[in-house]
Amino acid sequence: MSQRPLAAILALAAAFVIPTIAAFALAASGDDDPDRALILAPSSLAVAQDKLDAALAQLGIPAPEWVFAGSQTIVAQLIDGAPADLLLTANRVTLDRARDAGVTGATEVAFTENHLVLAVAEGNPGNVAELADLADPSLLIGVCATTVPCGRLANEMTTALGVNVAADTEEPNVRSLSTKLVAGELDASLIYRTDALAAGVEVIDVPGIADYRTTYWGTSLTGDNAVLDFLLSAEGQAILRSAGFGS
Amino acid sequence: MRPPTRHAPTPLLIPACIGLLIVAVPIIGLLQRAPWSSLVVQLTNPAVVDAIGVSLIVSIVSATLCLLLGLPLAWALARIELRGGRLIRAAVMLPMVLPPVVGGTALLFALGRRGLVGQWLDRWFGITLPFTTAGAILAATFVALPFFVTTVEAALRQNGTDLEEAAAVSGARPLVAFLTVTVPASRESIVAGLALAWARALGEFGATVTFAGNLAGRTRTLPLQTFLALESDPEAALAISVLLLTISLGVLVALRGRWLVR
């Protein structure tokens, strides 16, 4: 009888310890499949992932492991030693930060572009008609924080067009911003054209908004990278265009 | 209590030390990287001062709500025998183990302006909680309340009902007995629960950023400012982290020193 609690404790310990050790062994060994490229990519590119993976598979290139986050975040992770084969960023500034820290590859290529749109919640509850409506403090307005590329671009564009945005929230990445718009919690927000397309939200036409663009950069960190080559190929460019990227 | 043992078996000591290291090493790493010489400059930066202001308002109001709502709730859980009592208790404790971002999502779909309850708040009273300081307070209260309720409920159960019954026998109304007998008898636990709830509210991130958004001077608390600064100004993020670490440690030391060990 007195043995039973001990046996139970040992069984419980084994039940926890063995999977833990196994998980650590797997996780610490890192890249389990050396053929799969590990890609640090900006959140906004996530909308094209499925199509890119499918096209790469047809070419016999193993599906890459994508890590999506704000460009600032992935660059910071790379600088702090995160392993990666390919770095993609949603603007030049973040790529420069990576280069200044000495973590970029031999070449840097621009592979696509994006621009912002004025997107409104379903049914346009705030009756947003033009960019100047973003200055209305009675509306619920969301933008990206200026630390991420989409917020930096929004700031540049609205400043140039003379609109003082009365923001109610500055989101840490474009995905969380677009989620809050789709949920109907925001009346309007400045999101990428690609996110608006993916979410199927209503967009208000703003003359000149497409003149303010951000360029996506890629740099291969481990020699030639088949995924980066594909992104630059005619087929890769067509996939990006179908998701709303490019000119 | 038995005296502490002097000869701990090595098979226990090794994992114990590893466990200690998992907690201690990151904190030492933070302290070692902290910008000590510019700490004051970093913490008096206007963006940080704004965040300190928002954090103080949010955490203090949230702790007050925990007291006003959590004390009756803890009393009800300790004293009222209900069929679904276990289920109710589990529901109250849920935010302690729930990922805060899930809590924030739940709040958004319940109390957002298209949410289950939120749409009526919006339609009838014109109240929209997301993107307001009130929303941040609600998110902080959601995660902090269980810390207060568990602490106080345990004390109420331990203290038993003898004093309350004695008060009732001598003619005190239940509410009077609660305020003059029950509350004073549990005051140490109430203070401890308040300190824990306040510290948890101060550190709240996931539910706040999901439900209340992120705007300077309104909903951007210190943890949100830390997260934002981490990507643009790591020195500032480290300075705020040191501040939050000091406060958390201070709360724990105060609890150990004065209220938990008698």
Tab-separated table of all heavy atoms in Angstrom, chain A residues 50-79:
chain	number	residue	atom	x	y	z
A	50	ASP	N	0.020	30.100	-49.151
A	50	ASP	CA	-0.533	28.849	-49.675
A	50	ASP	C	-0.228	28.690	-51.162
A	50	ASP	O	0.194	27.623	-51.604
A	50	ASP	CB	-2.049	28.803	-49.431
A	50	ASP	CG	-2.359	28.591	-47.962
A	50	ASP	OD1	-1.414	28.259	-47.211
A	50	ASP	OD2	-3.525	28.778	-47.567
A	51	LYS	N	-0.438	29.776	-51.909
A	51	LYS	CA	-0.192	29.701	-53.358
A	51	LYS	C	1.292	29.498	-53.653
A	51	LYS	O	1.655	28.739	-54.553
A	51	LYS	CB	-0.680	30.978	-54.044
A	51	LYS	CG	-2.187	31.012	-54.241
A	51	LYS	CD	-2.573	32.231	-55.051
A	51	LYS	CE	-4.069	32.281	-55.304
A	51	LYS	NZ	-4.446	33.549	-55.952
A	52	LEU	N	2.138	30.168	-52.888
A	52	LEU	CA	3.581	30.014	-53.098
A	52	LEU	C	4.014	28.583	-52.795
A	52	LEU	O	4.746	27.968	-53.574
A	52	LEU	CB	4.355	31.003	-52.220
A	52	LEU	CG	4.260	32.483	-52.625
A	52	LEU	CD1	4.914	33.378	-51.576
A	52	LEU	CD2	4.920	32.718	-53.985
A	53	ASP	N	3.528	28.040	-51.671
A	53	ASP	CA	3.875	26.667	-51.299
A	53	ASP	C	3.456	25.690	-52.386
A	53	ASP	O	4.223	24.783	-52.754
A	53	ASP	CB	3.201	26.285	-49.968
A	53	ASP	CG	3.951	26.847	-48.777
A	53	ASP	OD1	5.083	27.338	-48.971
A	53	ASP	OD2	3.411	26.814	-47.651
A	54	ALA	N	2.234	25.879	-52.913
A	54	ALA	CA	1.717	24.959	-53.930
A	54	ALA	C	2.574	25.015	-55.194
A	54	ALA	O	2.933	23.982	-55.763
A	54	ALA	CB	0.263	25.302	-54.245
A	55	ALA	N	2.924	26.258	-55.609
A	55	ALA	CA	3.720	26.405	-56.829
A	55	ALA	C	5.122	25.839	-56.640
A	55	ALA	O	5.674	25.199	-57.538
A	55	ALA	CB	3.781	27.878	-57.225
A	56	LEU	N	5.695	26.042	-55.462
A	56	LEU	CA	7.034	25.503	-55.181
A	56	LEU	C	7.005	23.983	-55.210
A	56	LEU	O	7.922	23.339	-55.743
A	56	LEU	CB	7.527	25.999	-53.815
A	56	LEU	CG	7.928	27.481	-53.733
A	56	LEU	CD1	8.098	27.911	-52.288
A	56	LEU	CD2	9.210	27.735	-54.512
A	57	ALA	N	5.934	23.403	-54.677
A	57	ALA	CA	5.814	21.947	-54.641
A	57	ALA	C	5.804	21.390	-56.059
A	57	ALA	O	6.405	20.337	-56.334
A	57	ALA	CB	4.543	21.546	-53.896
A	58	GLN	N	5.117	22.106	-56.971
A	58	GLN	CA	5.063	21.650	-58.367
A	58	GLN	C	6.446	21.641	-59.011
A	58	GLN	O	6.709	20.843	-59.890
A	58	GLN	CB	4.131	22.557	-59.159
A	58	GLN	CG	2.665	22.390	-58.761
A	58	GLN	CD	1.746	22.514	-59.941
A	58	GLN	OE1	2.022	23.305	-60.836
A	58	GLN	NE2	0.681	21.736	-59.956
A	59	LEU	N	7.293	22.567	-58.544
A	59	LEU	CA	8.650	22.631	-59.083
A	59	LEU	C	9.596	21.673	-58.374
A	59	LEU	O	10.795	21.632	-58.652
A	59	LEU	CB	9.199	24.057	-58.964
A	59	LEU	CG	8.496	25.116	-59.823
A	59	LEU	CD1	9.022	26.499	-59.497
A	59	LEU	CD2	8.700	24.813	-61.303
A	60	GLY	N	9.045	20.935	-57.413
A	60	GLY	CA	9.855	19.985	-56.674
A	60	GLY	C	10.707	20.612	-55.585
A	60	GLY	O	11.627	19.994	-55.062
A	61	ILE	N	10.386	21.875	-55.236
A	61	ILE	CA	11.120	22.538	-54.152
A	61	ILE	C	10.355	22.281	-52.856
A	61	ILE	O	9.155	22.543	-52.789
A	61	ILE	CB	11.228	24.056	-54.417
A	61	ILE	CG1	11.952	24.289	-55.751
A	61	ILE	CG2	11.941	24.763	-53.259
A	61	ILE	CD1	11.892	25.719	-56.238
A	62	PRO	N	11.020	21.729	-51.815
A	62	PRO	CA	10.306	21.435	-50.567
A	62	PRO	C	9.664	22.696	-49.995
A	62	PRO	O	10.241	23.784	-50.085
A	62	PRO	CB	11.406	20.919	-49.634
A	62	PRO	CG	12.552	20.570	-50.515
A	62	PRO	CD	12.451	21.422	-51.735
A	63	ALA	N	8.475	22.525	-49.427
A	63	ALA	CA	7.762	23.672	-48.848
A	63	ALA	C	8.634	24.326	-47.790
A	63	ALA	O	9.159	23.642	-46.913
A	63	ALA	CB	6.446	23.217	-48.237
A	64	PRO	N	8.848	25.640	-47.880
A	64	PRO	CA	9.682	26.304	-46.871
A	64	PRO	C	8.982	26.356	-45.521
A	64	PRO	O	7.771	26.200	-45.434
A	64	PRO	CB	9.869	27.719	-47.421
A	64	PRO	CG	9.023	27.840	-48.623
A	64	PRO	CD	8.289	26.573	-48.848
A	65	GLU	N	9.770	26.582	-44.465
A	65	GLU	CA	9.194	26.855	-43.155
A	65	GLU	C	9.109	28.361	-43.003
A	65	GLU	O	10.128	29.046	-42.939
A	65	GLU	CB	10.084	26.276	-42.055
A	65	GLU	CG	10.142	24.760	-42.073
A	65	GLU	CD	11.009	24.231	-40.940
A	65	GLU	OE1	10.598	24.378	-39.785
A	65	GLU	OE2	12.084	23.708	-41.235
A	66	TRP	N	7.876	28.887	-42.983
A	66	TRP	CA	7.688	30.335	-42.910
A	66	TRP	C	7.568	30.785	-41.466
A	66	TRP	O	6.862	30.157	-40.683
A	66	TRP	CB	6.404	30.736	-43.638
A	66	TRP	CG	6.362	30.426	-45.092
A	66	TRP	CD1	5.893	29.283	-45.673
A	66	TRP	CD2	6.773	31.279	-46.172
A	66	TRP	NE1	5.993	29.378	-47.043
A	66	TRP	CE2	6.528	30.587	-47.382
A	66	TRP	CE3	7.323	32.568	-46.235
A	66	TRP	CZ2	6.810	31.128	-48.637
A	66	TRP	CZ3	7.596	33.103	-47.481
A	66	TRP	CH2	7.353	32.387	-48.664
A	67	VAL	N	8.243	31.855	-41.135
A	67	VAL	CA	8.046	32.498	-39.831
A	67	VAL	C	7.556	33.915	-40.127
A	67	VAL	O	8.319	34.733	-40.641
A	67	VAL	CB	9.346	32.554	-39.007
A	67	VAL	CG1	9.117	33.296	-37.697
A	67	VAL	CG2	9.868	31.160	-38.744
A	68	PHE	N	6.278	34.168	-39.857
A	68	PHE	CA	5.713	35.484	-40.156
A	68	PHE	C	5.652	36.346	-38.899
A	68	PHE	O	5.202	35.895	-37.849
A	68	PHE	CB	4.294	35.345	-40.722
A	68	PHE	CG	4.252	34.718	-42.084
A	68	PHE	CD1	3.793	33.413	-42.244
A	68	PHE	CD2	4.671	35.421	-43.196
A	68	PHE	CE1	3.756	32.828	-43.503
A	68	PHE	CE2	4.631	34.846	-44.459
A	68	PHE	CZ	4.173	33.544	-44.610
A	69	ALA	N	6.086	37.597	-39.027
A	69	ALA	CA	5.934	38.570	-37.932
A	69	ALA	C	6.173	39.946	-38.546
A	69	ALA	O	6.509	40.049	-39.739
A	69	ALA	CB	6.919	38.299	-36.807
A	70	GLY	N	6.005	40.997	-37.753
A	70	GLY	CA	6.330	42.325	-38.236
A	70	GLY	C	7.798	42.355	-38.671
A	70	GLY	O	8.642	41.704	-38.061
A	71	SER	N	8.095	43.116	-39.745
A	71	SER	CA	9.471	43.144	-40.248
A	71	SER	C	10.475	43.507	-39.160
A	71	SER	O	11.579	42.954	-39.111
A	71	SER	CB	9.587	44.157	-41.389
A	71	SER	OG	8.831	43.740	-42.498
A	72	GLN	N	10.101	44.460	-38.283
A	72	GLN	CA	11.004	44.862	-37.198
A	72	GLN	C	11.317	43.680	-36.307
A	72	GLN	O	12.449	43.503	-35.857
A	72	GLN	CB	10.355	45.962	-36.343
A	72	GLN	CG	10.029	47.229	-37.091
A	72	GLN	CD	11.251	48.095	-37.273
A	72	GLN	OE1	12.248	47.934	-36.589
A	72	GLN	NE2	11.167	49.007	-38.214
A	73	THR	N	10.280	42.880	-36.032
A	73	THR	CA	10.440	41.747	-35.124
A	73	THR	C	11.371	40.699	-35.723
A	73	THR	O	12.286	40.216	-35.047
A	73	THR	CB	9.069	41.118	-34.829
A	73	THR	OG1	8.194	42.143	-34.372
A	73	THR	CG2	9.174	40.040	-33.782
A	74	ILE	N	11.147	40.352	-37.007
A	74	ILE	CA	11.987	39.302	-37.583
A	74	ILE	C	13.432	39.770	-37.708
A	74	ILE	O	14.357	38.988	-37.510
A	74	ILE	CB	11.429	38.776	-38.933
A	74	ILE	CG1	11.156	39.907	-39.904
A	74	ILE	CG2	10.194	37.937	-38.715
A	74	ILE	CD1	10.661	39.424	-41.257
A	75	VAL	N	13.635	41.065	-38.015
A	75	VAL	CA	15.010	41.573	-38.100
A	75	VAL	C	15.661	41.527	-36.719
A	75	VAL	O	16.816	41.103	-36.572
A	75	VAL	CB	15.031	42.994	-38.702
A	75	VAL	CG1	16.385	43.652	-38.463
A	75	VAL	CG2	14.723	42.936	-40.190
A	76	ALA	N	14.906	41.907	-35.692
A	76	ALA	CA	15.450	41.859	-34.332
A	76	ALA	C	15.797	40.417	-33.951
A	76	ALA	O	16.836	40.157	-33.338
A	76	ALA	CB	14.439	42.439	-33.345
A	77	GLN	N	14.925	39.474	-34.349
A	77	GLN	CA	15.194	38.062	-34.043
A	77	GLN	C	16.445	37.579	-34.760
A	77	GLN	O	17.269	36.864	-34.190
A	77	GLN	CB	13.992	37.198	-34.452
A	77	GLN	CG	12.805	37.345	-33.516
A	77	GLN	CD	11.553	36.678	-34.062
A	77	GLN	OE1	11.490	36.297	-35.218
A	77	GLN	NE2	10.546	36.561	-33.209
A	78	LEU	N	16.594	38.011	-36.018
A	78	LEU	CA	17.765	37.612	-36.795
A	78	LEU	C	19.041	38.156	-36.157
A	78	LEU	O	20.044	37.448	-36.030
A	78	LEU	CB	17.621	38.127	-38.228
A	78	LEU	CG	18.609	37.583	-39.253
A	78	LEU	CD1	18.413	36.084	-39.443
A	78	LEU	CD2	18.448	38.294	-40.592
A	79	ILE	N	18.983	39.430	-35.750
A	79	ILE	CA	20.148	40.051	-35.117
A	79	ILE	C	20.499	39.310	-33.828
A	79	ILE	O	21.663	39.137	-33.484
A	79	ILE	CB	19.891	41.557	-34.860
A	79	ILE	CG1	19.786	42.295	-36.200
A	79	ILE	CG2	20.985	42.169	-33.985
A	79	ILE	CD1	19.368	43.745	-36.085
